[in-house]
Amino acid sequence: QVQLVESGGGLVQRGGSLKLACAASSPTFASYAVGWFRQAPGQEREFVSVISWNGDNADYADSVKGRFTISRDNVQKMVYLQMTNLKPEDTAVYYCAAYAIRYYEDYGLRRDDYDYWGPGTQVIVSS
């Protein structure tokens, strides 16, 4: 089992940057794929990005490609989401999520793939 805690959210102007962090508690963190999801008011929680257990593979939602970068440090048990050129439509609560991989190149894009979730961190982008 793993516990996740996000940090780094806040208020930023359009075009600005934020770096979100996700701290994990499990000693087997390196065997987990980790994703970021977001949920805006009145909307479904949606996929943002995912990184494989070893950091070799990553994927992004089309809406954030070229602006967001995911990375991880398995020694520190951290996953990061660097967000640049932020837009008002990026405003949401951002969640870190994880699951134990089922095969070598396993990194899921679906909410149902994930077993563990953090409480979320709020990002507000003003226009």
Side-chain angles (χ1 to χ4, degrees), residues 9-86:
L11 173 64
V12 64
Q13 291 187 333
R14 176 196 292 268
S17 299
L18 281 175
K19 186 173 185 178
L20 304 183
C22 173
S25 64
S26 173
T28 60
F29 175 68
S31 64
Y32 287 80
V34 179
W36 286 96
F37 291 74
R38 66 186 182 187
Q39 188 167 17
Q43 298 188 21
E44 294 287 318
R45 191 170 300 189
E46 65 174 5
F47 167 78
V48 175
S49 183
V50 60
I51 190 164
S52 61
W53 67 276
N54 57 1
D56 284 354
N57 296 286
D59 206 349
Y60 300 89
D62 288 343
S63 58
V64 306
K65 277 182 182 175
R67 300 189 298 121
F68 291 12
T69 303
I70 193 170
S71 61
R72 69 188 291 163
D73 182 338
N74 284 343
V75 173
Q76 299 296 324
K77 302 177 188 176
M78 298 289 295
V79 174
Y80 303 98
L81 186 68
Q82 178 68 56
M83 307 187 295
T84 62
N85 191 20
L86 283 160

Side-chain angles (χ1 to χ4, degrees), residues 83-102:
M83 307 187 295
T84 62
N85 191 20
L86 283 160
K87 306 175 181 181
E89 50 264 43
D90 294 318
T91 294
V93 177
Y94 283 71
Y95 298 91
C96 174
Y99 69 93
I101 60 171
R102 297 151 296 190

